[in-house]
Amino acid sequence: MPEIRLSKLTKRYGAVEVLHGIDLEMAENEFTVLVGPSGCGKSTTLRMIAGLETVSEGEIFIGGNPVSHLDPKDRGLAMVFQDYALYPHMDVAHNISFALRLQRRPKAEIEAKVREVADVVGLTEFLHRKPGALSGGQRQRVAMARALAKDSDIFLFDEPLSNLDAKLRGQMRAELAIMQQRVRKNMIYVTHDQVEAMTLADRIVVMHGGHIQQQGTPEALFKRPANRFVAGFLGSPPMNFLEAELTSESDRLFARGDGFSVAIPAERGRMLERTSGSVTLGVRPSDLNYDEDARNDEAIDLRVIVSEYVGAQSVLLCACGDSNVTVELKSETPIALGETLRFAIRPEGIHLFDRESTAAL
């Protein structure tokens, strides 16, 4: 499968620049997810790779060959859109085989290919139904099967699950992951949903404001975010942020703020010993553990405002000074609203960000 490379890719609409010279390499057989809030440039990037948007500056390379000047049909791509874009008067088999019939492939080859991709996406028993007789998830499978039938080297997905309800989205995420394992092609997937990104991607590319903020494996971005934006965007519930000051006391470094004073682990402290002043302390809800016996410098006291029961876990909204803090804990833990509880912070769960640049320290 070809490697895909974006070099100094820039997009302007008139005087407005929406992509600012991004560089990105996507390895063969990799499931790459472009994720970010609305307006970050992820869909524009995908459409430029597909040839549906012109390139203002820079170049797109597929397999080492520049393709920015090529028509979409000459790039060896298949695309699945947010809208299923199915032909309502055709049954599933004819929707899947439409591109093959335009290419005047032999009838036996078309039928074999339709059966093959229908099996991959679980549509074998629906081949003679029309789109109007299918559920939303089944229609999305037809759109995926149509792309797979082209036997392209690269598949592009533009928020394909955004029109589905929450339960169906979870089911389709699992089916997409299984399909990728069976097909083993280059796949580039655009979404604003960080859960989709975390569960599907071999590599996540987080975008914001037309720039790439960070890229890497889901685990690397979750555990070692490059800046406050990435830290807050990935993870559900999102990371908590508290304004703090770094101060030294008795050869130890502390992050102190309104209602808390947390010791920085010794190894991290040595790395930050020349750092002082205003920082942002980040702690994920799952890194706060209820422990009434925890030491003062390893814990934070929080007043419970809201408790949301979600089955095996409860999500607490708590107050720390004038800030709100979210905590995840097992639902059998006895909690009373208004109660002040002590939560120990896992040492590896302490994140520090520069207050001005927002970069991780």
Side-chain angles (χ1 to χ4, degrees):
M1 297 300 108
E3 179 187 76
I4 306 163
R5 181 164 63 89
L6 313 182
S7 177
K8 308 297 181 187
L9 201 63
T10 302
K11 178 62 180 178
R12 299 186 189 91
Y13 294 100
V16 179
E17 187 169 288
V18 296
L19 277 182
H20 310 290
I22 65 173
D23 293 302
L24 179 63
E25 293 186 9
M26 290 161 271
E28 60 177 342
N29 293 337
E30 186 174 63
F31 198 124
T32 303
V33 176
L34 308 182
V35 66
S38 296
C40 71
K42 57 188 186 296
S43 289
T44 300
T45 301
L46 191 78
R47 292 175 64 84
M48 291 168 75
I49 295 171
L52 302 178
E53 295 278 358
T54 57
V55 174
S56 300
E57 286 182 21
E59 185 57 82
I60 301 167
F61 297 90
I62 297 179
N65 300 313
V67 300
S68 295
H69 61 287
L70 298 180
D71 291 335
K73 64 182 178 62
D74 299 322
R75 298 190 184 195
L77 307 169
M79 189 163 180
V80 179
F81 297 91
Q82 179 177 345
D83 185 347
Y84 316 130
L86 302 179
Y87 295 103
H89 63 287
M90 296 182 186
D91 63 18
V92 169
H94 282 82
N95 267 284
I96 294 173
S97 64
F98 184 75
L100 303 179
R101 288 184 284 113
L102 284 181
Q103 296 170 1
R104 300 187 182 278
R105 301 274 189 92
K107 183 177 180 181
E109 178 186 338
I110 292 175
E111 291 178 351
K113 192 65 179 179
V114 168
R115 287 194 299 271
E116 177 188 341
V117 298
D119 179 62
V120 169
V121 300
L123 285 173
T124 303
E125 61 184 286
F126 303 102
L127 289 175
H128 299 295
R129 291 192 189 181
K130 291 185 178 179
L134 301 176
S135 68
Q138 290 165 344
R139 292 178 195 176
Q140 192 56 273
R141 284 188 213 151
V142 177
M144 292 178 187
R146 182 177 56 193
L148 289 172
K150 292 182 64 178
D151 205 23
S152 301
D153 292 330
I154 300 167
F155 293 92
L156 309 179
F157 298 86
D158 189 8
E159 303 200 44
L161 308 185
S162 60
N163 291 333
L164 306 181
D165 61 50
K167 183 177 180 179
L168 200 50
R169 284 174 76 118
Q171 178 185 334
M172 289 299 298
R173 279 201 305 269
E175 292 180 2
L176 263 172
I178 294 169
M179 185 186 78
Q180 197 267 344
Q181 293 171 13
R182 293 181 63 178
V183 175
R184 299 307 300 169
K185 301 274 189 176
N186 294 50
M187 295 187 180
I188 307 174
Y189 187 102
V190 161
T191 181
H192 64 275
D193 187 335
Q194 55 91 20
V195 175
E196 284 181 24
M198 295 290 288
T199 55
L200 288 173
D202 294 322
R203 185 158 58 102
I204 295 176
V205 180
V206 181
M207 299 184 68
H208 181 52
H211 295 277
I212 293 176
Q213 300 293 311
Q214 189 177 1
Q215 57 179 298
T217 64
E219 182 180 11
L221 268 62
F222 185 80
K223 292 184 176 180
R224 298 180 295 279
N227 56 43
R228 177 171 171 165
F229 176 81
V230 175
F233 191 82
L234 296 180
S236 180
M239 181 181 285
N240 298 298
F241 297 108
L242 297 168
E243 302 307 318
E245 299 291 328
L246 281 185
T247 59
S248 296
E249 181 180 317
S250 303
D251 296 326
R252 299 185 69 189
L253 198 63
F254 290 81
R256 291 193 167 109
D258 185 11
F260 66 93
S261 178
V262 177
I264 307 302
E267 184 176 340
R268 291 280 306 282
R270 285 192 293 270
M271 296 170 58
L272 296 168
E273 59 185 7
R274 296 185 180 180
T275 304
S276 62
S278 300
V279 297
T280 300
L281 171 67
V283 182
R284 294 198 182 278
S286 55
D287 287 326
L288 290 162
N289 299 316
Y290 174 56
D291 185 356
E292 59 184 8
D293 298 320
R295 288 168 34 185
N296 290 343
D297 60 359
E298 295 178 349
I300 186 168
D301 294 328
L302 303 174
R303 180 171 55 84
V304 180
I305 303 172
V306 176
S307 177
E308 296 179 345
Y309 178 82
V310 289
Q313 288 184 316
S314 289
V315 178
L316 306 181
L317 178 65
C318 305
C320 177
D322 292 331
S323 302
N324 289 334
V325 174
T326 304
V327 180
E328 281 185 309
L329 77 168
K330 292 182 179 179
S331 55
E332 62 263 24
T333 305
I335 298 295
L337 297 185
E339 187 177 5
T340 297
L341 305 174
R342 174 159 291 191
F343 293 90
I345 302 175
R346 294 174 62 240
E348 58 270 32
I350 293 176
H351 301 266
L352 295 171
F353 305 93
D354 183 270
R355 187 84 63 86
E356 289 189 15
S357 69
T358 75
L361 298 174

